[in-house]
Amino acid sequence: MNSTLSPLPDAPARVPTLPPSTPSAPTLELMQEVRDRKRELNAVILAHNYQVPEIQDVADFVGDSLGLAQQAAQTDADVIVFCGVHFMAETAKILNPDKLVILPDRNAGCSLEESCPADKLRALQQANPNFYTIAYINCSAEVKALTDVICTSGNAVKIVEAAPPDRDLLFVPDENLGAWVMEQTGRPMTLWRGNCYAHVEFRRDSLLRLQASFPDAKVVVHPESLREVRELADAVCSTEKMIAYCRTSPARQFIIVTESGIIHRLRKECPGKEFICAPTYDVMQMPADNCRCSQCKFMKLNTLEKLRNCLRQLHPRVELPAPLLQRARLPIERMLEISAR
Ligand code: 13P
Ligand code: SF4
């Protein structure tokens, strides 16, 4: 831990954590309907680590943005059902222009995607023709089409290290991930001023108080978080690497600084270990009756019922014009190729 400040003295009385999830009989029925319909359609269900437990449990693959893109690139299913946010489903469509890609809720957006409109990016690129543009995958297809290479939090360091040394690097749209990658690589970059509305709510003081209650816990932080929070981390990594870290670490307790949907997989894959959700509010003010662990309002738009409905109706669908699909594919393929090295 790199902290130069000592923990605040007053520790929280309650532990921010999620109640265990036990599906009810109607939920189990719905899960069976999803599985049956998926088989009929020869569909594959890809779900992000932040999805609700019942969606994770019916998915064929649960993972981080990189793992999901890799799965989308190699699936032989006829239909891809993407349980995550819209830019992820779009990425699956870009990699599979001839397949049907559906998602439970078309409105599952992302604050990072919103922060970076394609016309503003184009204007900035025109100001410096020597820019080599690296985009975090959390952006629209239009933005992807303007870039040289895509990255995820799982491979951003590798992608930046592979960038041509004679070019000026422009990193969009997450300034916090970008700042962390600069720290890791020593490579200066111009950063777009976007952020994840959910991760920037984690604060140093609140985390220090939690650490005072759990002095043996390892602190695992997503790089979309603020620097003041990353500085307290034992590990800074993507959601998939968080799971690997907790599985292999000899520690028994972990403070998890990311969206709380990940706790479901952590509990399943690391039995006997304890996971404490970092709160996005001051732990001293925590209400007695609920946990208010961090949740992404976009990821949580997806429900099992909406998943069943989209499998029934084959709607909403991701549809993009062919030239855009073609142009946006190049930087994603470049990312997959560099990642596999
Ligand atoms: P990863 O799961 O790729 O680490 O990304 C987190 C995230 O915020 C996705 O929107
Ligand atoms: Fe976007 Fe943040 Fe939600 Fe991820 S957690 S989808 S970065 S708003």
Side-chain angles (χ1 to χ4, degrees):
M1 195 191 314
N2 299 326
S3 169
T4 49
L5 300 178
S6 51
L8 303 179
D10 40 355
R14 282 180 292 276
V15 182
T17 196
L18 292 172
S21 69
T22 318
S24 64
T27 301
L28 288 171
E29 238 174 76
L30 213 48
M31 287 166 84
Q32 192 52 48
E33 190 182 339
V34 166
R35 289 191 182 103
D36 293 345
R37 183 75 181 130
K38 185 187 76 171
R39 213 169 302 115
E40 275 166 39
L41 292 168
N42 186 29
V44 65
I45 301 180
L46 305 180
H48 188 265
N49 287 323
Y50 296 160
Q51 292 299 287
V52 291
E54 55 274 22
I55 290 184
Q56 292 193 28
D57 289 348
V58 291
D60 296 286
F61 177 84
V62 185
D64 67 356
S65 310
L66 178 60
L68 291 164
Q70 287 165 334
Q71 290 292 319
Q74 65 193 41
T75 184
D76 55 11
D78 295 320
V79 179
I80 299 175
V81 189
F82 211 108
C83 300
V85 287
H86 186 257
F87 75 80
M88 295 178 174
E90 237 178 23
T91 304
K93 180 68 182 178
I94 293 164
L95 289 166
N96 296 278
D98 300 327
K99 289 192 201 293
L100 184 60
V101 178
I102 55 176
L103 67 166
D105 193 316
R106 170 64 189 84
N107 296 318
C110 171
S111 65
L112 279 165
E113 177 181 357
E114 279 169 17
S115 77
C116 190
D119 56 337
K120 291 216 170 84
L121 174 58
R122 199 178 292 108
L124 182 62
Q125 287 173 323
Q126 280 163 0
N128 181 356
N130 197 40
F131 268 146
Y132 181 86
T133 307
I134 303 170
Y136 188 28
I137 198 163
N138 299 37
C139 61
S140 67
E142 287 79 6
V143 164
K144 286 185 175 78
L146 292 174
T147 66
D148 293 293
V149 66
I150 300 300
C151 73
T152 72
S153 57
N155 62 16
V157 169
K158 198 171 185 181
I159 298 291
V160 169
E161 281 171 346
D166 56 334
R167 301 286 295 276
D168 299 325
L169 302 191
L170 171 61
F171 189 92
V172 305
D174 189 350
E175 60 185 337
N176 293 305
L177 175 67
W180 175 70
V181 174
M182 281 206 287
E183 288 161 24
Q184 302 302 302
T185 61
R187 187 100 195 248
M189 301 196 287
T190 299
L191 302 181
W192 191 267
R193 304 303 299 270
N195 58 50
C196 162
Y197 92 95
H199 282 86
V200 297
E201 284 186 26
F202 296 115
R203 287 301 149 83
R204 182 183 185 92
D205 283 1
S206 182
L207 190 52
L208 282 171
R209 286 199 176 93
L210 200 56
Q211 280 183 292
S213 278
F214 299 95
D216 297 330
K218 296 287 181 197
V219 177
V220 190
V221 174
H222 196 276
E224 288 172 9
S225 309
L226 298 172
R227 184 181 184 152
E228 65 172 40
V229 170
R230 293 198 312 269
E231 282 174 350
L232 301 176
D234 292 290
V236 177
C237 49
S238 78
T239 57
E240 196 59 36
K241 289 182 181 173
M242 285 183 177
I243 293 165
Y245 176 85
C246 296
R247 201 192 296 122
T248 53
S249 166
R252 309 306 298 167
Q253 284 182 328
F254 301 86
I255 297 175
I256 303 296
V257 189
T258 194
E259 214 267 5
S260 56
I262 196 174
I263 300 295
H264 183 61
R265 258 193 85 191
L266 285 167
R267 283 181 179 157
K268 272 176 47 172
E269 296 183 29
C270 313
K273 296 190 176 183
E274 187 184 357
F275 300 100
I276 301 129
C277 299
T280 50
Y281 53 92
D282 188 333
V283 281
M284 298 308 288
Q285 311 298 324
M286 197 164 86
D289 56 342
N290 70 24
C291 156
R292 288 172 55 207
C293 298
S294 167
Q295 297 210 331
C296 168
K297 65 182 176 188
F298 302 112
M299 287 279 181
K300 275 3 192 217
L301 282 177
N302 296 330
T303 62
L304 188 61
E305 204 174 349
K306 288 185 197 170
L307 170 57
R308 188 273 313 271
N309 293 347
C310 87
L311 278 159
R312 272 187 185 171
Q313 298 156 7
L314 298 181
H315 181 83
R317 300 177 179 199
V318 180
E319 275 161 355
L320 296 167
L324 177 59
L325 282 168
Q326 241 176 7
R327 179 58 189 90
R329 191 180 172 116
L330 300 173
I332 301 173
E333 285 184 334
R334 191 168 288 147
M335 168 187 83
L336 293 172
E337 187 269 307
I338 295 170
S339 242
R341 282 180 200 167

